[in-house]
DNA sequence: TTTATTAAAGACAAATGACTCTTAAAACGT
DNA sequence: ACGTTTTAAGAGTCATTTGTCTTTAATAAA
């Protein structure tokens, strides 16, 4: 069951890596993140470029350059990030791939799929990078391996 | 959010089409199903071949041939079918793609992803083709469009 | 026995997703 | 100015999924 694309997963992991940093000023090199998270440098670069273009990250070139969160991680909730990376219809899909979900006569699994989507959406709406970054800082969870 | 592959979706829809049939004896042509469900005949054929090999369907060639459910739809629960089509680890994946889910130190979203997976699994375990076929027969839900 | 009908099998092609590489541009230190 | 470090941009490659096509085999009916 793969819910997020590899690109989204790696983008999210990088954002969490940044949110978990102790120090807030300065930039974190993409090379360092790629090594630490075990992602290809070039692949991660491409993913982060898009996040920079979308205003979630700011970047800086040259020595000691890298990327940094462009906004307070307390205001960055998973929902916004996932919609940004996966598309705005992320929470509006049919389990059986039928078009017009929710509006028209439902598919046979509508009843519980609707619940599942709603629960997931709510969680994404109420979970911020700040919150998850904190959990990483105290060492309760992992981002790699 | 695409949880099931196209192949699984179309396989499931075909199984539901069969489970919704009034008459239980005889075979249903793949051509008919492909037309009705708006799936390419050849693509559907390939999908159903695998379901036949796995013992969920039986098939018959020649005039008035086709496929039919090989088992009582009351004993066919979604979980078994999905595991069959998507692989046995379907309900054991990490939202962030980390290996060793559940056993090792969790990822930051473990807490609610675990719940989501469990809820989904339970629904799949308790929903049979018979039950969904009935809903289709009474016209409450749709399989195509 | 011949012909029509249907699924089985497998080769093949197209589309998508997942990366990789090369070159350029920006910033810095000397 | 020059060389080094680092991201930006985009072309290019590889793998997987999705979808198509052709040929064969089984069955029935004429
Ligand atoms: S389950 Fe119902 S609402 Fe959900 S996608 Fe399928 S049709 Fe749409
Ligand atoms: S959330 Fe926790 S348990 Fe679920 S997959 Fe990620 S690591 Fe494994």
């Amino acid at each position: 069951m793969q819910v997020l694309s590899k690109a989204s997963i790696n983008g999210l992991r990088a954002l969490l890596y940044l949110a978990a940093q102790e120090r807030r000023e300065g930039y974190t090199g993409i090379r360092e993140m790629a090594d630490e998270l075990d992602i290809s440098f070039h692949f991660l670069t491409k993913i982060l470029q898009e996040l920079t273009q979308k205003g979630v990250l700011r970047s800086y070139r040259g020595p000691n350059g890298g990327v940094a969160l462009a906004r307070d991680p307390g205001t960055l909730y998973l929902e916004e990030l996932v919609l940004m990376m996966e598309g705005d219809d992320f929470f509006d899909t049919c389990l059986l791939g039928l078009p017009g979900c929710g509006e028209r006569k439902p598919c046979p699994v509508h009843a519980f799929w609707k619940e599942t989507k709603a629960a997931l959406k709510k969680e994404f709406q109420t979970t911020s990078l700040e919150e998850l970054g904190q959990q990483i800082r105290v060492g309760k969870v992992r981002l790699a391996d």
Side-chain angles (χ1 to χ4, degrees), chain A:
Chain A
M1 182 166 31
Q2 176 132 0
V3 170
L4 298 172
S5 68
K6 289 283 168 93
S8 297
I9 285 175
N10 288 326
L12 254 187
R13 291 209 296 141
L15 290 172
L16 289 170
Y17 183 86
L18 292 171
Q21 304 268 3
E22 303 286 349
R23 35 193 294 293
R24 267 301 138 74
E25 75 282 358
Y27 294 89
T28 303
I30 298 180
R31 179 80 59 184
E32 172 193 329
M33 283 196 275
D35 288 349
E36 209 68 37
L37 299 176
D38 211 42
I39 307 170
S40 144
F41 168 71
H42 288 295
F43 190 28
L44 183 56
T45 291
K46 196 203 283 197
I47 295 166
L48 297 188
Q49 271 170 28
E50 291 183 15
L51 290 175
T52 301
Q53 283 162 1
K54 285 175 176 157
V56 173
L57 295 177
R58 57 200 154 82
S59 67
Y60 204 78
R61 298 197 240 203
N64 299 312
V67 297
L69 292 175
R71 292 163 44 188
D72 175 1
T75 72
L76 284 168
Y77 288 85
L78 294 187
E79 187 203 25
E80 181 185 353
L81 298 170
V82 167
L83 290 180
M84 184 178 293
M85 296 188 288
E86 294 278 338
D88 284 338
D89 63 344
F90 185 75
F91 295 105
D92 303 316
T93 57
C94 177
L95 190 58
L96 292 188
L98 305 184
C101 168
E103 310 146 15
R104 311 203 22 207
K105 191 194 276 196
C107 78
V109 289
H110 171 81
F112 73 82
W113 181 238
K114 180 183 156 192
E115 309 275 325
T116 302
K117 286 189 299 185
L120 209 53
K121 185 175 188 176
K122 186 176 177 188
E123 285 291 342
F124 277 57
Q125 279 174 338
T126 56
T127 306
S128 69
L129 283 191
E130 172 61 37
E131 179 185 336
L132 296 180
Q134 182 101 25
Q135 284 184 42
I136 297 168
R137 272 198 295 279
V138 304
K140 290 298 241 188
V141 298
R142 68 189 166 120
L143 274 180
D145 256 23

